[in-house]
């Protein structure tokens, strides 16, 4: 057991440690703790606010027990979603596996430690979305000590089963990895499969919402209740715990908790038995698999063609992202996927309000759409979509220890920075085109407005790209053990979101100040503002190109 | 020609990883840079190649200062870093063509040069595969090919022999000899004393950031114990 705990600690450290240690700066950095703390407080506040409103409404109509069911399901569902994203990486794509296999460790110890890492990541979030609301429930309903004890057990127990379930599924899929010669393509396939499942889920849930929002509040509660009743059958632990949390009898509470505990233990034993059988097969296949083994030995004459440096450099960046499942998911796909998902959700939402597309287009025909107000909304929506493009913010970090390459080749650093952000700009433009296409379909804007919006949005995209590579240069994460550490567990990723928020605030300010301005003039002014900002940022990147590279060693 | 003048560097304040280093590697010379682990070899090479800023001093490569004219200086060398895990997602041929674009290798020379280098190292048949699928030695070889593609005048290699099999190691040494014979410069770090003895025109020994010896291998033997084995010699010099 001792070894398991030690291993868990090492895995956790590995996935959160960064550059600092390597540079010999022992920053137990206070600023990092402060940023994490603030983020945490922010979300906690948000959840308390939302939870309070909901709970208050439910208490008013004496339906507060639904709240418990909802929270428990949320914990369960989150366990599933989070594990889908993290398990492939934690179980298979971490570099340390290679060093681990030769050590005298028992298989179950490694599996247990890896599972712990997933669970711990889970508990951090569950503290926010599970623990806090349930405490709130306790306070507002004046619950006794039994409730709180049961609740703590519930928060600990509920996420275990989904984590085990999904990990097992992933292990099962990956155990075929060794059968496939071409592991890159397989990884890509597995990633896309997971993605497809998520999209299917999001579409089907948006369909579900449609049915619910049609009815009155009371009706909704009945339906929500019905849904919980329905799903409960499939998730016995949640069922038992709901009973335990809402009962008045101590005896019932104890029995239900024991039942849950029993199921979890059985699930855990099964998991360990099966995992020991299949995990290492997949892991070994994945670590030492053949790679892309191309049988064609002759080199195509085309390959020898000269190309301009910017082309091959940008090409290299794209290849590196596209051939890496984690980067593909985090950097390239969101640009296309997020606007599309949004369209689906909005479309479903529109239909459910009994307001079809026809009504919208009718409404649009009656009210003028070619206004500064609408233009700013469109720009704001684009900002919302583009904040998930993580190409520029990870441009340096993605190269990992190989980032020093930039410093010894005879190409100016500034030029290389530009080559590295071109993919970010391109993906921005893709998002912009999709969004403007949607807007045009709904609002019938004149071509000139579209062109103007396209230009301004693109400039905002360029500003984002330059600003984000500066952030990455200032705080690079170069010695990572899995791509996951760069593309997900990277604190820098809040910066594009922050910038987008700032942009949206600026847009709101403009709308407020220049309400009735002519749309062409208004958007033109915005354009000039952003051109100036972009030029200044670019100047900074150019002037500081050498200093900015100091952290790359 | 590489001139290292009064160069110092500390990663952490007060602890110099390279201390007032002076070296001149002449044209036509193979220079071996020896020293125990953590002596400062990689640090020195990082400064020569512009990866690391030096605290004091300057380094000239064919007369161009890496500090003042970095681009011009960088055009004058090909560099093989100590870890060959680079561009794992690129195919071998894609990596080499990328390097050719970076170093402006003319169109008509590319095919010939790539075939010559990769066939010599016997990785030509693997060029259509991703570097990820290469063994450690194969990765080392492809990185060497990438660095030598543009026929740079100065070769700078950080522990180039690690991971190479005897034949490839022999081939690389032959290539170094030919390169030096044509009046150009090779600067490399190594732990392997035999390599230094047989290959190098001169060696430099660095220990705890300080240069403790420069000269031919013979001079080194004479200066220290006459008939000592190589290991004894090395230990004696570095443990003082
Ligand atoms: N990034 C870094 N941050 C702090 N100290 C470093 C860093 N890199 C190297 N050092 C220190 O500098 C000194 C010299 O290291 P260097 O890597 O140059 O040694 P080396 O001679 O190449 O050793 P080896 O034979 O192991 O490759 C060592 O004391 C090392 O601890
Ligand atoms: Mg070294």
């Amino acid at each position: 057991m001792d070894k398991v705990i030690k291993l868990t600690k090492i895995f956790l450290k590995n996935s959160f440690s960064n550059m600092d240690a390597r540079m010999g700066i022992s920053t137990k950095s206070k600023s990092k703790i402060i940023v994490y703390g603030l983020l945490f407080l922010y979300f906690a506040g948000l959840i308390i606010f939302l939870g309070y409103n909901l709970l208050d409404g439910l208490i008013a109509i004496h339906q507060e027990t639904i709240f418990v069911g909802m929270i428990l399901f949320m914990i369960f569902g989150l366990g599933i979603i989070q594990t889908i994203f993290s398990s492939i990486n934690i179980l298979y794509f971490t570099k340390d596996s290679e060093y681990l296999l030769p050590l005298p460790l028992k298989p179950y110890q490694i599996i247990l430690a890896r599972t712990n890492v997933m669970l711990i990541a889970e508990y951090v979030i569950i503290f926010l979305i599970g623990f806090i609301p349930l405490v709130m429930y306790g306070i507002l309903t004046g619950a006794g000590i039994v409730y709180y004890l049961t609740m703590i057990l519930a928060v600990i127990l509920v996420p275990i089963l989904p984590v085990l379930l999904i990990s097992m599924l992933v292990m099962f899929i990956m155990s075929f990895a060794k059968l496939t010669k071409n592991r890159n393509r397989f990884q890509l396939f597995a990633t896309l499969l997971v993605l497809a499942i998520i999209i299917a889920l999001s579409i089907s849930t948006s369909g579900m919402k449609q049915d619910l929002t049609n009815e009155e509040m009371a009706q909704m509660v009945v339906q929500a209740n019905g849904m919980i009743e329905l799903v409960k059958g499939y998730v016995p632990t949640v069922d038992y715990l709901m009973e335990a949390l809402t009962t008045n009898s101590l005896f019932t509470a104890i029995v239900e908790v024991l039942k849950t505990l029993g199921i979890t233990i059985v699930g855990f034993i099964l998991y360990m038995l099966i995992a020991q059988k299949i995990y290492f097969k997949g892991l070994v296949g994945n670590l030492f698999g053949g790679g892309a083994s191309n049988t064609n030995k002759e080199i195509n004459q085309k390959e020898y063609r000269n190309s301009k440096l910017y082309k091959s450099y940008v090409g290299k960046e794209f290849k590196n992202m596209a051939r890496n499942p984690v980067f593909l998911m985090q950097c390239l796909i969101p640009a296309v996927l997020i606007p599309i998902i949004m369209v689906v959700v909005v479309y479903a939402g529109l239909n459910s309000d009994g307001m079809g597309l026809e009504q919208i287009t009718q409404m649009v025909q009656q009210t003028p759409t070619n206004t500064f107000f609408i233009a700013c909304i469109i720009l704001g929506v684009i900002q919302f979509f583009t904040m998930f493009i993580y190409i520029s913010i990870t441009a340096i970090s993605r190269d990992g220890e190989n980032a020093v390459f930039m410093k010894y080749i005879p190409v100016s650093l500034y030029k290389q920075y530009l080559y590295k952000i071109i993919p970010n700009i391109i993906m921005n433009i893709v998002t912009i085109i999709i969004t403007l296409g949607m807007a045009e379909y709904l609002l019938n804007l004149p071509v000139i407005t579209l062109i103007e919006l396209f230009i301004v949005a693109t400039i905002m995209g360029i500003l984002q790209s330059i600003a984000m590579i500066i952030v990455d240069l200032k705080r690079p994460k170069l010695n990572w053990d899995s791509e996951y550490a760069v593309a997900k567990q990277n604190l820098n990723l809040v910066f594009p979101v922050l910038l987008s928020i700032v942009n949206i605030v600026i847009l709101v300010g403009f709308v407020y100040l220049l309400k009735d301005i002519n749309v062409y003039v208004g958007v033109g002014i915005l354009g000039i503002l952003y051109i100036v900002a972009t030029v200044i940022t670019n100047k900074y990147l150019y002037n500081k190109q050498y200093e900015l590279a100091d952290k790359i060693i | 020609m590489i001139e290292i003048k009064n160069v110092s560097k500390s990663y952490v304040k007060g602890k110099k990883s390279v201390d007032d280093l002076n070296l001149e590697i002449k044209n036509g010379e193979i220079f071996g840079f020896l020293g125990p682990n953590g002596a400062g070899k990689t640090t020195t090479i990082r400064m020569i190649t512009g990866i690391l800023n030096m605290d004091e001093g300057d380094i000239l490569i064919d007369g161009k200062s890496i500090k003042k004219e970095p681009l011009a200086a960088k055009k004058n060398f090909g560099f093989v870093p100590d870890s060959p895990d680079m561009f794992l997602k690129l195919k071998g041929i894609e990596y080499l063509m990328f390097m050719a674009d970076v170093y402006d290798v003319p169109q008509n020379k590319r095919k010939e040069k790539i075939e010559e280098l990769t066939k010599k190292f016997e990785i030509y048949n693997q060029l259509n595969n991703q570097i990820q699928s290469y063994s450690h030695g194969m990765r080392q070889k492809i990185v060497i090919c990438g660095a030598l593609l543009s026929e740079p005048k100065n070769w700078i290699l950080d522990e180039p022999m690690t991971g190479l099999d005897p034949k490839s190691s022999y081939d690389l040494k032959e290539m170094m000899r030919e390169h030096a014979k044509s009046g150009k410069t090779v600067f490399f770090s190594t732990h392997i004393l035999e390599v230094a003895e047989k290959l190098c025109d001169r060696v430099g020994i660095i220990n705890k950031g300080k240069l403790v010896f420069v000269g031919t291998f013979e001079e080194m033997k004479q200066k220290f114990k006459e008939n000592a084995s190589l290991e004894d010699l090395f230990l004696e010099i570095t443990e003082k």
Side-chain angles (χ1 to χ4, degrees):
Chain A
M1 217 51 208
D2 201 32
K3 271 190 188 156
V4 175
I5 293 169
K6 271 186 200 142
L7 264 181
T8 309
K9 272 190 195 154
I10 290 171
F11 290 161
L12 277 176
K13 253 192 213 141
N14 264 350
S15 52
F16 289 107
S17 72
N18 60 7
M19 190 70 192
D20 298 352
R22 190 160 163 254
M23 289 184 59
I25 312 165
S26 67
T27 37
K28 269 273 172 261
S29 71
K30 274 185 196 140
S31 64
K32 201 192 306 178
I33 294 170
I34 291 174
V35 174
Y36 273 122
L38 283 180
L39 271 178
F40 195 80
L41 282 181
Y42 169 74
F43 282 115
L46 199 71
I47 280 158
I48 290 176
F49 175 76
L50 291 177
Y52 179 79
N53 280 336
L54 181 64
L55 194 53
D56 204 41
L58 287 170
I59 289 177
I61 54 171
H62 302 294
Q63 294 288 350
E64 64 272 12
T65 48
I66 288 182
F67 188 76
V68 175
M70 278 165 58
I71 296 296
L72 291 182
F73 271 112
M74 212 148 80
I75 298 180
F76 193 86
L78 206 86
I80 291 184
I81 292 170
Q82 164 113 347
T83 316
I84 287 177
F85 277 107
S86 63
S87 59
I88 299 188
N89 293 291
I90 292 180
L91 290 171
Y92 291 99
F93 295 167
T94 33
K95 275 189 197 158
D96 49 21
S97 292
E98 202 169 325
Y99 309 113
L100 217 64
L101 286 177
L103 298 181
L105 292 165
K106 299 211 176 61
Y108 82 88
Q109 292 170 326
I110 297 179
I111 295 172
L112 218 53
R114 292 258 186 252
T115 313
N116 281 344
V117 172
M118 287 188 276
L119 269 174
I120 287 169
E122 203 63 46
Y123 284 129
V124 173
I125 296 182
I126 278 164
F127 179 81
L128 278 174
I129 70 141
F131 188 76
I132 293 179
L134 285 177
V135 169
M136 236 157 58
Y137 175 88
I139 295 171
L140 288 181
T141 57
I145 180 87
V146 179
Y147 169 82
Y148 288 104
L149 289 179
T150 319
M151 181 205 83
I152 290 171
L153 282 173
V155 169
I156 294 174
L157 288 178
V158 171
I160 295 179
L161 277 185
V163 168
L164 299 186
L165 212 69
I166 297 295
S167 318
M168 208 141 77
L169 196 73
V170 166
M171 284 183 197
F172 189 71
I173 295 177
M174 291 308 281
S175 68
F176 289 102
K178 80 176 172 99
L179 299 178
T180 62
K181 270 248 172 76
N182 191 332
R183 84 166 169 147
N184 280 307
R185 223 163 280 168
F186 185 82
Q187 285 176 356
L188 184 65
F189 173 75
T191 318
L192 288 179
L193 190 75
V194 171
L195 211 69
I197 293 173
I198 295 168
I199 295 176
L201 271 177
S202 73
I203 290 176
S204 64
T205 47
S206 73
M208 229 133 70
K209 225 187 269 157
Q210 187 175 322
D211 292 334
L212 284 172
T213 44
N214 273 337
E215 315 294 329
E216 307 283 340
M217 172 77 174
Q219 193 75 21
M220 248 176 69
V221 170
V222 173
Q223 286 202 358
N225 225 340
M227 235 173 71
I228 291 179
E229 287 298 322
L230 185 79
V231 191
K232 221 158 68 167
Y234 300 100
V235 192
T237 50
V238 171
D239 187 9
Y240 302 151
L241 286 171
M242 234 181 105
E243 188 66 36
L245 282 171
T246 50
T247 183
N248 289 324
S249 128
L250 176 64
F251 179 70
T252 320
I254 292 176
V255 169
E256 299 297 328
V257 167
L258 283 180
K259 277 204 249 174
T260 314
L261 199 65
I263 288 188
T264 309
I265 290 174
V266 171
F268 179 76
I269 292 172
L270 276 178
Y271 169 78
M272 286 311 292
L273 286 178
I274 296 175
Q276 292 196 49
K277 281 248 163 4
I278 59 178
Y279 175 52
F280 288 93
K281 260 198 222 168
L283 184 62
V284 173
N286 205 31
L287 276 178
F288 309 113
S293 71
N294 196 328
T295 41
N296 185 8
K297 306 247 190 281
E298 268 314 305
I299 288 163
N300 198 329
Q301 287 305 313
K302 267 201 326 221
E303 300 270 16
Y304 289 116
R305 221 176 20 202
N306 253 25
S307 63
K308 287 263 169 9
L309 179 59
Y310 78 87
K311 263 195 209 157
S312 53
Y313 207 112
V314 174
K316 177 207 93 180
E317 293 294 314
F318 267 118
K319 278 175 197 149
N320 184 28
M321 280 184 280
R323 290 175 187 173
N324 208 316
V326 181
F327 293 154
L328 180 73
M329 282 261 288
Q330 286 295 307
C331 300
L332 293 182
I333 288 182
V336 185
L337 203 66
I338 288 175
I340 292 175
I341 288 185
M342 291 293 169
V343 175
V344 171
V345 171
V346 170
Y347 188 80
L350 281 179
N351 280 342
S352 66
D353 279 352
M355 204 163 78
L357 220 55
E358 298 98 70
Q359 277 96 327
I360 287 268
T361 29
Q362 250 175 31
M363 209 175 75
V364 162
Q365 271 152 20
Q366 279 148 20
T367 46
T369 54
N370 192 25
T371 62
F372 184 57
F373 176 63
I374 299 276
C376 283
I377 288 186
I378 295 174
L379 287 177
V381 170
I382 291 174
Q383 280 305 303
F384 185 73
F385 292 159
T386 51
M387 70 187 178
F388 299 108
I389 300 177
Y390 294 148
I391 300 175
S392 201
I393 190 71
T394 57
I396 307 296
S397 302
R398 273 201 314 270
D399 284 347
E401 305 193 336
N402 189 21
V404 292
F405 176 80
M406 299 178 73
K407 298 180 81 173
Y408 66 77
I409 58 172
V411 180
S412 98
L413 285 169
Y414 174 71
K415 270 193 196 158
Q416 296 190 61
Y417 300 153
L418 292 192
Y419 300 152
K420 277 180 167 293
I421 63 174
I422 287 176
N424 200 78
I425 297 174
I426 292 176
M427 292 325 276
N428 255 296
I429 291 177
V430 170
T431 310
I432 292 168
I433 289 175
I434 294 176
T435 319
L436 286 181
M438 269 157 59
E440 175 62 15
Y441 178 71
L442 283 173
L443 305 170
N444 240 328
L445 296 168
V447 181
I448 301 185
T449 312
L450 279 182
I451 292 176
E452 223 186 353
L453 283 176
F454 177 78
I455 293 172
V456 175
T458 305
I459 293 167
M460 290 169 91
I462 295 174
L463 175 65
Q464 183 208 43
S465 310
I466 300 176
M468 290 309 119
I469 203 172
I470 293 175
V471 173
D472 197 26
L473 280 163
K474 286 195 176 252
R475 311 156 44 95
K477 231 178 150 111
L478 297 177
N479 56 343
W480 34 266
D481 66 331
S482 88
E483 286 86 352
Y484 202 60
V486 175
K488 281 229 109 179
Q489 299 161 333
N490 183 346
L491 202 57
N492 286 352
L493 301 183
V494 303
F495 284 94
V497 179
L498 284 180
L499 180 68
S500 286
I501 290 174
V502 169
N503 283 335
I504 289 171
V505 168
I506 290 175
L507 288 170
V508 171
F510 263 75
V511 168
Y512 189 73
L513 290 173
L514 307 171
K515 212 176 298 168
D516 298 319
I517 199 170
N518 173 295
V519 55
Y520 305 119
V521 179
V523 178
I525 294 176
L526 270 175
I528 291 169
L529 177 83
Y530 276 102
I531 287 176
V532 172
T534 308
V535 168
I536 293 173
T537 321
N538 183 46
K539 196 92 197 143
Y540 179 82
L541 181 68
Y542 180 79
N543 289 340
K544 297 266 173 184
Q545 52 179 315
Y546 294 107
E547 288 95 322
L548 282 170
D550 277 352
K551 294 234 169 97
I552 307 175
I553 42 169
Chain B
M1 177 145 110
I2 303 169
E3 296 156 84
I4 303 173
K5 296 176 177 169
N6 304 94
V7 167
S8 293
K9 174 76 194 176
S10 25
Y11 290 98
V12 192
K13 272 212 180 85
K15 182 177 170 269
K16 286 195 170 171
S17 290
V18 171
D19 193 354
D20 197 23
L21 183 68
N22 279 291
L23 263 182
E24 193 178 304
I25 297 106
K26 301 185 193 80
N27 286 336
E29 183 174 59
I30 302 181
F31 190 92
F33 202 35
L34 302 170
N37 291 133
K41 301 183 293 294
T42 300
T43 307
T44 307
I45 289 179
R46 279 179 177 162
M47 288 189 286
I48 301 176
T49 50
I51 294 170
L52 209 57
N53 294 330
M54 50 207 113
D55 299 339
E56 289 160 46
D58 200 359
I59 294 172
L60 307 182
I61 297 149
D62 283 346
K64 303 282 180 195
S65 159
I66 190 78
K67 247 186 188 170
K68 293 174 200 112
E69 303 170 86
L71 292 190
K74 286 173 192 173
K75 281 207 178 90
N76 291 338
F77 66 79
F79 172 48
V80 177
D82 53 351
S83 156
D85 298 332
M86 306 167 67
F87 300 108
L88 298 183
K89 295 287 171 187
L90 292 189
K91 292 177 188 165
I93 184 71
E94 288 170 340
Y95 165 69
L96 292 178
M97 287 310 286
F98 175 63
M99 292 301 277
D101 288 332
V102 167
Y103 285 94
D104 277 331
V105 178
Q107 170 87 51
N108 54 10
K109 275 201 163 175
R110 294 186 176 199
K111 184 169 164 11
E112 173 199 338
K113 196 75 199 163
I114 287 177
E115 284 183 0
E116 178 202 321
L117 284 169
T118 54
K119 281 183 176 158
K120 183 170 261 170
F121 280 133
E122 293 174 343
I123 49 171
Y124 180 75
N125 286 342
Q126 298 291 331
L127 286 183
N128 273 330
N129 294 332
Q130 282 185 16
I131 297 178
Q132 196 168 36
S133 70
Y134 291 16
S135 71
H136 182 82
M138 285 156 68
R139 290 179 189 180
Q140 185 78 27
K141 290 178 192 175
I142 192 112
V143 171
I144 294 175
C145 292
L148 304 189
L149 208 53
S150 61
E151 302 183 337
K153 287 201 29 209
N154 300 281
W155 291 0
I156 300 169
L157 312 100
D158 198 355
E159 291 178 34
M161 311 293 177
T162 12
L164 293 190
D165 55 33
K167 161 147 191 343
S168 308
S169 179
Y170 175 81
D171 284 337
L172 180 62
K173 281 183 256 176
E174 280 305 302
M175 284 159 72
M176 288 177 168
R177 283 199 186 98
E178 274 170 40
H179 189 70
K181 218 182 270 168
S182 67
K184 294 163 191 163
T185 308
V186 179
F187 179 91
F188 74 104
S189 75
T190 184
H191 292 124
I192 311 170
L193 289 161
E194 281 81 2
V195 171
E197 180 177 23
K198 300 218 176 78
L199 185 64
C200 298
D201 300 311
R202 281 195 308 149
V203 296
I205 297 178
I206 185 171
N207 189 31
K208 295 184 184 140
K210 282 203 166 80
L211 196 66
V212 287
F213 174 82
V214 202
T216 64
F217 209 87
E218 284 309 310
E219 285 168 1
M220 182 168 98
K221 275 190 178 166
Q222 273 160 25
K223 182 167 174 190
F224 300 94
K225 253 182 254 155
E226 270 295 329
N227 290 319
S229 76
L230 289 175
E231 273 78 13
D232 289 340
L233 205 58
F234 194 65
L235 286 176
E236 184 183 341
I237 296 173
T238 54
E239 268 169 15
K240 265 187 194 162

